[in-house]
Amino acid sequence: MQHLIIRGDPGIRRDAVINYDGQEMICFSVNRQGDWHGPDEPQLWCTIGTEDEYETYAKREYVPHWLETESIDAEDLDVIKAKGDLAV
């Protein structure tokens, strides 16, 4: 599990499936930053992980400040599924 900062908006929402670092990852949470007073384009701050790590995320059995953080441009992100089934 790790944090991923996406510069720009690739159109993903919670429960999206992305191909990151050669493996399929699920976006457990997506926080949109920078709409009002931020940079020129928004940033999505995501907590991503594999399907096996979802239970750890759901039960909050991790320390968010200790997760590795990386960033990527929205154009460089491979989106497999843009949002979960219940997203509007």
Side-chain angles (χ1 to χ4, degrees):
M1 193 173 347
Q2 69 181 50
H3 289 296
L4 181 66
I5 299 173
I6 303 170
R7 294 180 299 271
D9 187 1
I12 64 172
R13 299 297 174 253
R14 188 173 151 240
D15 294 331
V17 179
I18 60 173
N19 184 2
Y20 181 70
D21 221 13
Q23 120 184 56
E24 284 189 9
M25 304 291 263
I26 300 171
C27 294
F28 300 141
S29 70
V30 177
N31 295 317
R32 189 175 174 98
Q33 306 290 328
D35 278 336
W36 297 102
H37 302 292
D40 294 340
E41 59 185 3
Q43 294 180 348
L44 300 181
W45 294 14
C46 308
T47 302
I48 63 172
T50 61
E51 190 173 337
D52 299 337
E53 296 172 320
Y54 183 76
E55 185 175 349
T56 303
Y57 171 79
K59 291 183 177 181
R60 302 289 187 209
E61 295 176 341
Y62 68 99
V63 179
H65 299 303
W66 293 349
L67 293 179
E68 181 180 335
T69 302
E70 295 183 9
S71 63
I72 189 172
D73 289 327
E75 298 85 32
D76 298 333
L77 187 67
D78 295 328
V79 178
I80 297 171
K81 183 178 171 187
K83 57 186 174 180
D85 297 332
L86 297 177
V88 178

